[in-house]
Amino acid sequence: MKIDGVVVLYQPTEENILNILQYAPLLDRLYVVDNSEPPENMLLQKLSAASNVEIVPMNGNQGIAKALRVGLEKAMQDDADFCLTMDQDSIFPTDQMHNIKKYLSRDDIDDYAIIGLNVNQIGTPPGLVATKLILTSGNLINVKNYRLIQGFREELFIDSVDYELDHQFYKVGKKIAYINEISLKHTVGSPEAMNILHQKITLLNHSPVRYYYRYRNNYVLYREDKKFYKEVRWMDQKQFIKILLFEKNKRKKLAMIRLGIRHAKQKKLGRLEEIHE
């Protein structure tokens, strides 16, 4: 079994680099796709010292979708069976790799597009949990099944790139699941927990531009398949209320959400800076 990996960098810290070096030896090949502006050459040198790491410069921020697409193309050229996709700050459970490989060796593995990991928790009972939507980080993509689809959709740039890939696999009849008892440490946004009327809620506190991409892309995807993306739509509605009531800098965030939806209606996708008003 050959397992490659892809991790996308954007202005990484030294801590991010040390984290990546923890799981790099577990992989046959790790493609480090660098979206940084400018590249962090001193930190990249530390990564390139590992014998199985290949630095893939993107010469500026080309977006998470294109970076992942380039990485998966490298894994396909390398004839990998699976490709691990990681965010630069996610912490992979290195001590569980042998158990993960057991799941990748299932007799019915060709039925699965993605075997992912539980996020920030260890679930019971152990085993695979079927899901429709899964985040990018900590996923082991079945490269054989990835060849059946178009791949990561570059025009989305960032946000909901993972959900759109899930939808592509859904259309070709491939399953997605995560390993309940194996956990990935992963942070979305800058989360802040609050207690409101004895109910615990979590604010994501994304930047205004991240909310632009999230609401723009999700509006486009929902219009393409309302049934599949209805859960995403519901999550956005709940998040909008949290922004409106509790998050800071809400005026700018709401303005960027409106802009994102307007661009979605106008079918203007890609990087915000390259979209003409």
Side-chain angles (χ1 to χ4, degrees):
M1 181 190 303
K2 190 172 189 178
I3 304 176
D4 286 355
V6 176
V7 59
V8 180
L9 299 187
Y10 183 74
Q11 309 302 132
T13 65
E14 186 168 5
E15 183 180 6
N16 295 150
I17 301 303
L18 295 175
N19 171 46
I20 293 167
L21 287 171
Q22 292 296 309
Y23 61 81
L26 303 175
L27 304 169
D28 290 279
R29 196 77 180 158
L30 176 62
Y31 301 103
V32 178
V33 187
D34 186 27
N35 262 339
S36 301
E37 298 175 317
E40 301 285 346
N41 291 322
M42 292 292 292
L43 295 178
L44 291 176
Q45 287 177 8
K46 293 185 178 182
L47 283 173
S48 60
S51 61
N52 67 329
V53 169
E54 179 179 335
I55 307 297
V56 184
M58 297 297 285
N59 301 312
N61 187 8
Q62 304 297 316
I64 187 74
K66 185 170 183 177
L68 287 169
R69 188 182 187 92
V70 168
L72 260 294
E73 287 171 355
K74 292 274 188 181
M76 287 191 289
Q77 292 167 7
D78 193 40
D79 291 323
D81 298 298
F82 297 92
C83 186
L84 173 69
T85 54
M86 291 286 290
D87 288 357
Q88 65 183 14
D89 55 352
S90 295
I91 300 175
F92 187 82
T94 54
D95 61 332
Q96 292 293 327
M97 193 60 171
H98 63 292
N99 290 323
I100 293 171
K101 287 183 176 180
K102 291 178 183 177
Y103 283 98
L104 301 182
S105 301
R106 291 169 57 105
D107 291 338
D108 63 345
I109 192 61
D110 284 348
D111 295 337
Y112 288 86
I114 297 173
I115 300 293
L117 306 181
N118 208 337
V119 178
N120 298 330
Q121 62 181 349
I122 296 174
T124 54
L128 290 182
V129 177
T131 185
K132 185 172 72 173
L133 300 170
I134 196 165
L135 300 176
T136 302
S137 198
N139 285 348
L140 286 135
I141 296 177
N142 186 327
V143 175
K144 179 180 178 181
N145 288 332
Y146 184 80
R147 294 178 186 273
L148 301 176
I149 63 174
Q150 294 180 347
F152 290 98
R153 188 168 165 181
E154 293 183 27
E155 63 182 352
L156 297 180
F157 197 72
I158 58 173
D159 274 299
S160 303
V161 171
D162 37 20
Y163 295 156
E164 198 278 333
L165 191 77
D166 299 339
H167 184 244
Q168 290 188 52
F169 283 128
Y170 166 79
K171 289 194 294 183
V172 297
K174 296 301 179 181
K175 300 177 183 177
I176 295 173
Y178 62 87
I179 305 171
N180 203 23
E181 72 275 21
I182 301 180
S183 179
L184 176 87
K185 291 184 180 180
H186 178 71
T187 302
V188 178
S190 302
E192 176 186 355
M194 295 182 65
N195 287 306
I196 305 295
L197 299 176
H198 306 292
Q199 294 290 324
K200 184 178 179 179
I201 66 169
T202 301
L203 308 181
L204 294 181
N205 293 313
H206 280 312
S207 67
V209 72
R210 283 298 302 273
Y211 281 129
Y212 163 84
Y213 285 113
R214 171 175 174 162
Y215 282 85
R216 183 197 72 178
N217 293 347
N218 286 348
Y219 185 91
V220 168
L221 297 180
Y222 181 72
R223 292 290 294 271
E224 292 176 353
D225 190 335
K226 293 181 180 180
K227 182 178 180 181
F228 183 86
Y229 291 110
K230 63 180 181 180
E231 181 181 340
V232 176
R233 179 78 163 181
W234 174 236
M235 288 190 294
D236 277 354
Q237 290 172 340
K238 291 193 293 183
Q239 184 59 35
F240 184 83
I241 294 172
K242 293 178 185 178
I243 296 169
L244 189 62
L245 295 180
F246 305 116
E247 288 200 11
K248 298 175 183 177
N249 197 19
K250 67 185 66 180
R251 181 172 295 181
K252 180 64 173 177
K253 292 176 181 179
L254 295 176
M256 292 302 287
I257 289 171
R258 288 194 296 270
L259 178 62
I261 293 174
R262 188 170 86 234
H263 282 175
K265 291 178 178 179
Q266 296 169 344
K267 299 183 179 180
K268 291 182 176 180
L269 297 177
R271 185 174 183 174
L272 176 59
E273 291 85 347
E274 297 171 355
I275 297 173
H276 299 292
E277 292 296 326

